[in-house]
Amino acid sequence: MIATGPRATVQDLGRPGHAALGVGVAGAADAGSLRLANRAVGNPEGAAAIEAEFGGLRVRVRAPGGLFAAVTGAPAPLTVDGRAEAPYSVLHVPDGAELRMGAPPSGLRSYLAVRGGVDVPPVLGSRSADTLAALGPDPLGPGTVLPVGPPPDGVPLLGVLPVAPPPAGDVELGVVPGPRADWFTRDALHGLFTGEYEVTSEIDRVGMRLSGPRLARAEKGELPSEGTVAGALQVPPSGLPVLFLADHPLTGGYPVIGVVASADLGRAAQARPGQRLRFRPRPAPFLGAGPDDAEERA
Amino acid sequence: MRILPNGDAAILVELPDLDAMLGLYAALAADPPPGVADLVPAARTLTLLLGPGARPADVARAVRDARPGAAAPVGGAVTVPVVYDGADLGEVAELTGLSPAEVVAAHTGTPWRVAFTGFAPGFGYLTGGDPRLNVPRRETPRVRVPAGSVGLAGRFSGAYPVESPGGWRLIGRTDAPLWDLRRDPPALLRPGAEVRFVRAGGPA
């Protein structure tokens, strides 16, 4: 690693299954883009790759015969020893060559996968850096050396990957109301789904602070801490929501008014400061009904 | 029990109290419904994270049909030795109307139980201790709380596995290995476990 942008980390699909230890899932903020980059170079979908925010990456490859690589997510302009290469396609980086990633014209997080995957030692079954829990590999910086695993059985894809870059304008995201939508006024829910929320400069892998219509609470009590999920729109006393991303805390004590649909979470993670988000209601999954549910409604 | 959607990939189960939560947690941890990727215990809720193959309605039915486990303490009681020389011990004594020695006696006199985890890897929220120790958290959190610090906040007690910011009132410190990645499992305190604090120093 010769240089990085504001933040670059190793990510895979995270470490679910350890909540009892106080450990969250983490993993790529835009998991779809990670999967795609891995498929492109013939890796298993969950292999570890580099998640780079705002580009800025400079990497020198040291591998006999060079390395196959692919960049997805934010379409950062690429050069290999000064020669322009396209994102969303498989490129070959010769031994000793420098791969440079410029600033992406849209989107926030680029995924650089190499054939064989980043082979740092796993922690609790994952190579993901959890920046909140300080678990997994340290964030990357100049001088970091990342080992690459043996080539997988899969073959690299040829041609350009069929994928659209993250939008540069407004971003529409589906949101399932709840689990604590009933803690808010009707006006708040209306405001959430009709207003626009701007992504502030306070963004990291834990979440992004949004500015827009304040969401007023109807229920003034204290919520005992409960489990939170990536995509949750948690509303602190300010009334301005925080959209949780991959490294969100396991539990939180502020009510969650809605949760971004899992299919839209990657696009949420690609929104950058100044971009506007519009939330659209999505139906909750059907969960059936138990006797107590009816009682609660009565 | 009430089952609420938490987005399209998780469900939140509300339970009447901590015992009911730990009972359901024990049952589901022993026999997880198909497609459930993780269980997140909290004060009186249990969140089920759904993997790609999970069918939410089937998982909800499995939750309704689960017979609560005995919420048996996990792996027997854990003993945590504490040197009671915390920076807030005097303040806790003032807030509770006890002497520092009585605070120590109260903290060590009743077994605690790990209700749930979170905040940091290996951090357990302990409940069930002496109710006189219910003190509010500090108005201004500390930027740095040393690893091993033992504190109180509301009806909870806990010990910081790693140095971090924190707002709990610190009454002592422990050298118990709260978090060790070379150990399986790395966390000493896990939901359901009984915890006994013993005095290793400080006012008696």
Side-chain angles (χ1 to χ4, degrees):
Chain A
M1 203 66 49
I2 301 166
T4 68
R7 179 168 28 239
T9 56
V10 174
Q11 296 297 337
D12 55 18
L13 295 175
R15 49 179 74 79
H18 300 292
L21 306 177
V23 172
V25 178
D30 175 1
S33 291
L34 173 83
R35 287 192 169 98
L36 182 68
N38 275 323
R39 281 206 303 273
V41 294
N43 286 343
E45 282 194 335
I50 296 173
E51 178 182 283
E53 290 180 24
F54 279 120
L57 217 58
R58 290 176 59 197
V59 184
R60 186 168 310 281
V61 168
R62 299 269 183 223
L67 269 183
F68 285 101
V71 172
T72 60
L78 304 173
T79 60
V80 173
D81 274 351
R83 191 184 69 246
E85 294 275 1
Y88 304 158
S89 65
V90 176
L91 43 130
H92 184 261
V93 188
D95 187 17
E98 183 187 327
L99 172 68
R100 279 197 194 209
M101 191 187 276
S106 72
L108 177 61
R109 296 177 162 96
S110 304
Y111 293 85
L112 167 62
V114 294
R115 185 167 165 79
V118 175
D119 196 22
V120 294
V123 173
L124 295 173
S126 165
R127 296 177 171 85
S128 164
D130 182 332
T131 59
L132 183 70
L135 212 60
D138 289 333
L140 308 180
T144 304
V145 176
L146 293 176
V148 174
D153 292 335
V155 291
L157 301 174
L158 298 175
V160 175
L161 301 169
V163 64
D170 295 358
V171 182
E172 196 169 292
L173 301 171
V175 167
V176 178
R180 300 298 173 195
D182 56 350
W183 278 53
F184 295 86
T185 62
R186 277 180 191 282
D187 282 354
L189 270 172
H190 187 257
L192 178 71
F193 289 122
T194 54
E196 290 181 340
Y197 284 87
E198 189 173 304
V199 179
T200 69
S201 58
E202 289 183 78
I203 52 167
D204 58 18
R205 282 185 40 85
V206 176
M208 41 214 257
R209 276 185 200 284
L210 307 178
S211 75
R214 286 179 195 269
L215 303 170
R217 272 166 63 167
E219 180 78 50
K220 299 293 181 203
E222 286 279 306
L223 182 73
S225 287
E226 58 190 26
T228 60
V229 297
L233 288 161
Q234 197 198 47
V235 185
S238 69
L240 294 175
V242 176
L243 201 170
F244 277 160
L245 296 176
D247 292 353
H248 66 88
L250 262 186
T251 58
Y254 296 129
V256 170
I257 191 171
V259 180
V260 173
S262 41
D264 292 351
L265 194 53
R267 279 193 302 129
Q270 291 293 0
R272 47 210 264 180
Q275 262 183 299
R276 282 191 298 265
L277 309 181
R278 284 200 301 263
F279 301 119
R280 296 291 174 255
R282 291 279 185 277
F286 176 69
L287 298 177
D292 292 0
D293 295 319
E295 223 168 86
E296 288 288 339
R297 277 200 298 271
Chain B
M1 181 191 295
R2 196 162 73 124
I3 301 183
L4 303 169
N6 196 354
D8 58 18
I11 64 179
L12 179 74
V13 185
E14 273 185 353
L15 295 143
D17 54 32
L18 177 66
D19 277 344
M21 187 284 290
L22 287 173
L24 180 65
Y25 172 68
L28 296 181
D31 184 17
V36 170
D38 207 351
L39 304 168
V40 188
R44 41 170 213 248
T45 58
L46 183 64
T47 298
L48 285 75
L49 305 185
L50 307 183
R55 292 164 52 97
D58 292 351
V59 173
R61 190 177 314 115
V63 168
R64 288 191 186 95
D65 291 348
R67 289 174 188 281
V74 177
V78 180
T79 299
V80 176
V82 179
V83 176
Y84 286 94
D85 60 357
D88 302 328
L89 182 62
E91 242 175 63
V92 169
E94 272 173 42
L95 286 163
T96 55
L98 303 171
S99 71
E102 286 168 336
V103 170
V104 175
H107 197 242
T108 54
T110 313
W112 297 74
R113 194 179 197 194
V114 183
F116 55 98
T117 50
F119 175 66
F123 188 94
Y125 290 79
L126 313 183
T127 59
D130 194 313
R132 290 176 297 171
L133 295 179
N134 191 328
V135 291
R137 59 181 65 215
R138 287 168 55 88
E139 303 245 322
T140 314
R142 289 187 170 85
V143 179
R144 277 183 62 240
V145 174
S149 298
V150 175
L152 296 167
R155 59 199 176 93
F156 296 111
S157 187
Y160 289 78
V162 293
E163 181 186 295
S164 65
W168 290 33
R169 304 216 184 234
L170 307 182
I171 57 173
R173 60 195 153 87
T174 181
D175 57 7
L178 299 162
W179 180 253
D180 182 356
L181 276 169
R182 291 161 303 183
R183 186 178 57 197
D184 183 22
L188 182 66
L189 308 178
R190 300 189 295 286
E194 188 179 294
V195 178
R196 277 186 180 275
F197 291 105
V198 295
R199 194 183 71 88

